Amino acid sequence: MPDSPDDGPSSVDLRTDVAHSARVYDYLLGGKDNYKADRKAAEDVVKVAPYMRTSVRANRNFMVRVARYLAAERGIRQFLDIGTGLPTSPNLHEVVQKVDPSCRVVYVDNDPIVLVHARALLTSTPEGRSRYIDADVSDPESILAAPEVRETLDLSQPVGLCLIAVLHFLHDEAKAHGIVESLLEPLATGSFLALSTIAIDSAPKQVGTAIKEYNARGIHSKARTKADIEGFFKGLELIEPGVTPVHHWRPDEEARKIDDTQVSMYGGLAIKR
């Protein structure tokens, strides 16, 4: 594999000598937008947590099923996806615009590597719209005030807020809950919160060891219990089957084949009433 992903803005410092969460995730998904340090970090984690590749793929497929459900069964036509990560087809806008080409999506991430590849997130249908913001989940006020959000989304109408595989990078519980609440507060009744994050419940020893490996490489992550994750949905109405291992959430044929021991990500979807 070449040691240089797709070219991008020369002003962006990708720190290719240091493992990066987005690029490690990309490698585990089978992508090519990663460097030697990322591949080394990923393989070191896989040594202690052999399930990791299956877990990240299950999480990606969870996002696809949630997005399709929101567009096809709940009529959601606008989405705010925070912690987008590297473009991996199908991206969220591809999923929802297949249901309705007029769907509008705003992607948010603060990773330099994602910024380099953001153009792949902007291939919207002519009827819809896809925008990208270089911003941090820890500053929800700036995200919501961004022109790209205000020009693309109508916050007086329901929005699908997606926080997929991002909360485990927020260690402070009070701050993490405050961020989720701040993002939800201005959204209209009938909006949805979809999230997934690392859970300790499925295999405490393996997950704990994997988290230590990530943290040792500067990718600071935190595993939560199922009860902790359910707490992020406080005040919302969870959609069946509630918070569950991601491959159990309204599974398709592929998800049904996955062994429970191979997934450490839990997720859920809830509506704002």
Side-chain angles (χ1 to χ4, degrees):
M1 184 181 298
D3 225 40
S4 58
D6 193 11
D7 59 348
S10 58
S11 61
V12 178
D13 182 6
L14 298 181
R15 293 294 308 277
T16 61
D17 58 324
V18 178
H20 192 287
S21 58
R23 299 190 304 244
V24 169
Y25 193 79
D26 174 76
Y27 176 70
L28 291 170
L29 281 172
K32 298 179 180 179
D33 298 313
N34 47 75
Y35 294 90
K36 184 176 180 179
D38 310 306
R39 300 191 283 272
K40 175 65 165 58
E43 291 297 344
D44 286 346
V45 172
V46 168
K47 286 177 183 177
V48 299
Y51 64 84
M52 193 58 67
R53 285 190 175 90
T54 300
S55 188
V56 298
R57 283 196 298 268
N59 181 70
R60 184 72 188 183
N61 292 339
F62 165 75
M63 181 280 291
V64 170
R65 295 196 309 278
V66 166
R68 185 182 298 120
Y69 170 82
L70 287 176
E73 299 190 36
R74 292 292 184 147
I76 300 299
R77 295 295 179 262
Q78 46 184 7
F79 297 81
L80 179 59
D81 182 18
I82 302 177
T84 301
L86 280 160
T88 302
S89 188
N91 294 300
L92 190 149
H93 73 278
E94 294 171 320
V95 175
V96 299
Q97 289 180 351
K98 190 173 182 180
V99 175
D100 185 334
S102 70
C103 286
R104 303 184 303 281
V105 179
V106 176
Y107 292 108
V108 182
D109 210 305
N110 72 329
D111 289 343
I113 186 65
V114 181
L115 175 61
V116 169
H117 294 275
R119 63 185 177 276
L121 297 169
L122 305 178
T123 55
S124 173
T125 59
E127 302 93 332
R129 199 167 188 188
S130 181
R131 303 290 297 275
Y132 177 82
I133 307 173
D134 181 26
D136 197 317
V137 65
S138 64
D139 188 3
E141 290 78 12
S142 293
I143 292 173
L144 293 166
E148 294 88 345
V149 170
R150 296 296 174 173
E151 294 168 4
T152 307
L153 307 179
D154 178 0
L155 300 190
S156 70
Q157 298 298 314
V159 173
L161 171 63
C162 300
L163 295 168
I164 305 298
V166 66
L167 289 180
H168 43 256
F169 298 122
L170 300 172
H171 289 206
D172 185 287
E173 287 300 297
K175 184 174 182 179
H177 280 269
I179 288 169
V180 174
E181 291 167 6
S182 294
L183 290 167
L184 282 169
E185 195 277 329
L187 302 187
T189 297
S191 293
F192 286 83
L193 169 65
L195 69 80
S196 67
T197 191
I198 298 172
I200 199 76
D201 300 58
S202 56
K205 185 176 180 181
Q206 275 190 309
V207 174
T209 303
I211 290 293
K212 289 179 181 177
E213 289 290 332
Y214 272 122
N215 290 341
R217 284 154 182 79
I219 304 174
H220 299 294
S221 304
K222 176 179 182 176
R224 292 177 168 88
T225 66
K226 178 182 178 181
D228 291 336
I229 299 168
E230 288 173 336
F232 286 106
F233 294 103
K234 184 178 179 180
L236 306 176
E237 181 183 318
L238 275 164
I239 304 301
E240 289 293 332
V243 173
T244 181
V246 289
H247 63 301
H248 284 195
W249 197 91
R250 298 176 180 262
D252 55 14
E253 184 176 353
E254 180 181 351
R256 292 188 187 96
K257 296 177 182 177
I258 299 175
D259 188 283
D260 287 354
T261 62
Q262 301 300 298
V263 176
S264 60
M265 300 290 293
Y266 278 44
L269 175 71
I271 187 171
K272 179 179 180 180
R273 295 296 192 185

